[in-house]
Amino acid sequence: GFLQSSLTHGLGNGLARFPDELDQLERLGLENFDALARDLEQLGVQAEYEAAGDLVVALQPYELTALSEDAELARRYGHDVRVLDGAQARGELGSPMYLGAAWTRTGSALVHPGELADGLRAAAVRAGVRVHELSPVQALGLAPGGVSVRTEGGTVQTRRCLLATSAYPPLVRAIGHYIAPVYDYVLVTEPLSESRRDSIGWRGRQGVSDMGNQFHYYRLTGDGRILWGGYDAVYRYGGPVGPGLDQDERTFATLSQHFFTAFPQLEGLRFSHRWGGAIDTCSRFSVFFGTALDGRVVYALGYTGLGVGASRFGGRVGLDLLDGRDTEATRLSLARRRPLPFPPEPLRSGVIQLTRNRLAAADRNGGRRGLWLTALDRMGLGFDS
């Protein structure tokens, strides 16, 4: 439910990968962000939209320099960012771990993602779109004048097809080279009592994340609960995706321990919900596009966890590519270039697990990235988050 204006998974990542286009990408991202908010109002979608901004918090002394540098970079691109010292950060949200924070008040909001999806579906149906649920597609193929879409219940013929399959099994073989399904997990607390809420503050209701390589993200829900997730990014050999992987006891235990370390004053608070899901991770951390079946199929995916807003942009660009429209966005290298592919198994699993290990080591060692992470940085493989 973290809605961000960035199309590049943050300014730092965008500057490293699209330096010549970042002014355009930031402008297009803010336009897309504002347009999504207007869509919700005009379509009557009740998605608990909150333009509260976000807090990025520093938990280690070495992170304070990067915090200030990131804030200055954001200001250069027109964002309203306020840097907070430790006392000010703890005044916004009462965690004894906070040494400082950057509060970004532009291009950042929160939504209820389930209500967003349901509301957009209802708006599409009102507009005359036919929605076929519980109809998994098994294969795509060329057909006279278009594409055949084979499902369990029969075959559908269409002129063109836009794929937005995220981390799920790809229908175009090439997608599998670029996507690694990484599982992320969250806990949600029971509603906070008034006294517990007073003990942490959080009157600004910002979305929050910390600066570690293995980072947490958290937010208040509309009914006064805390959603707490992140830290572990779980990749399993071969990249399986399915409902049987939506629960991970070890990760939930880790998240619970970290929650009460961050908020010891909430000791005894119970968790009422827990779940997980797969993220469509690619090596550049931002949406990429490709075509198949003589250009009759276009795919848009790879948002790497920041797709709530960027997927609106990705869908529009994907449709323009399908229709052969020449637009500012379709001319961008972001739309024309693909990320570096991941290696095949078993090398893929080994590289990802080694990288996770080294990222955790960097968090323990003052942010020093070491030889492996430095080599990946130079190769442009995107393991910087």
Side-chain angles (χ1 to χ4, degrees), residues 348-385:
R348 173 181 294 205
S349 185
V351 166
I352 291 175
Q353 301 304 346
L354 175 60
T355 302
R356 291 182 66 240
N357 177 276
R358 293 298 86 200
L359 287 169
D363 284 339
R364 295 192 300 268
N365 296 316
R368 292 184 291 275
R369 293 180 68 78
L371 293 175
W372 177 252
L373 295 181
T374 300
L376 291 178
D377 291 341
R378 290 174 179 169
M379 294 166 61
L381 281 174
F383 292 104
D384 57 355
S385 175

Side-chain angles (χ1 to χ4, degrees), residues 99-251:
L99 303 181
W103 182 2
T104 302
R105 293 179 279 193
T106 48
S108 181
L110 296 170
V111 293
H112 186 305
E115 292 181 3
L116 175 65
D118 285 346
L120 291 175
R121 177 196 184 281
V125 170
R126 290 196 301 271
V129 174
R130 288 180 293 170
V131 179
H132 299 276
E133 296 177 316
L134 302 177
S135 302
V137 178
Q138 298 172 326
L140 302 174
L142 283 173
V147 180
S148 65
V149 182
R150 180 162 58 84
T151 75
E152 292 178 340
T155 298
V156 176
Q157 302 284 107
T158 181
R159 285 180 297 161
R160 293 183 291 274
C161 179
L162 175 62
L163 296 179
T165 48
S166 186
Y168 292 88
L171 293 163
V172 172
R173 182 179 300 232
I175 293 173
H177 301 307
Y178 299 105
I179 290 296
V182 173
Y183 266 81
D184 188 40
Y185 295 90
V186 302
L187 297 172
V188 180
T189 71
E190 62 189 355
L192 272 64
S193 65
E194 185 175 351
S195 62
R196 288 190 186 278
R197 179 66 181 271
D198 289 341
S199 73
I200 61 171
W202 213 348
R203 299 304 172 188
R205 295 184 60 87
Q206 306 95 329
V208 186
S209 61
D210 60 58
M211 295 189 67
N213 290 307
Q214 291 183 286
F215 63 95
H216 306 88
Y217 56 84
Y218 36 113
R219 58 164 297 184
L220 287 169
T221 66
D223 59 351
R225 306 169 189 266
I226 298 174
L227 180 147
W228 173 266
Y231 192 75
D232 278 341
V234 182
Y235 177 80
R236 298 174 174 90
Y237 187 90
V241 175
L245 302 174
D246 290 350
Q247 302 289 320
D248 189 302
E249 296 292 340
R250 185 172 63 177
T251 295

